[in-house]
Amino acid sequence: MDSYSQSDMERTQSLLQMQTVVQGQKITMKILGQCFDRCIDYPSDTLALKDQQCIWHCTQRLFDTEQFLLKRLQARQKQG
């Protein structure tokens, strides 16, 4: 019985980890989509250097903002 419950716990943990990865990928794609829309006026077969740099800087700002907000939320949860 214990091995069965241990197996269930491992399976549940694995599913939670997979869900976390998928959620992270969704957030990443959302950020990339927002930055693409901000930086690219007309899509073409290649990206100009200025467009690449714009997307890079935009994604970095959004990821940094997300991390800041996450840390702030975690700090508030610990306080109250």
Side-chain angles (χ1 to χ4, degrees):
M1 188 81 168
D2 281 17
S3 64
Y4 179 73
S5 61
Q6 179 67 27
S7 174
D8 285 345
M9 288 173 52
E10 289 173 359
R11 189 175 306 128
T12 300
Q13 183 66 27
S14 177
L15 289 172
L16 287 173
Q17 288 174 344
M18 186 181 302
Q19 185 179 17
T20 301
V21 168
V22 168
Q23 191 65 23
Q25 290 174 338
K26 285 181 180 180
I27 291 169
T28 299
M29 293 307 296
K30 181 179 177 182
I31 289 173
L32 285 172
Q34 289 174 346
C35 290
F36 187 87
D37 291 342
R38 286 182 189 173
C39 295
I40 308 300
D41 294 324
Y42 300 102
S44 65
D45 292 340
T46 60
L47 288 175
L49 180 59
K50 71 173 185 63
D51 296 334
Q52 292 176 23
Q53 290 172 336
C54 178
I55 292 172
W56 171 257
H57 291 295
C58 175
T59 55
Q60 291 305 304
R61 283 192 310 271
L62 290 175
F63 281 127
D64 289 345
T65 301
E66 182 181 326
Q67 289 301 310
F68 169 79
L69 292 173
L70 181 62
K71 288 178 184 179
R72 188 170 180 170
L73 177 63
Q74 289 172 343
R76 284 202 175 184
Q77 287 176 343
K78 287 181 183 179
Q79 289 175 353

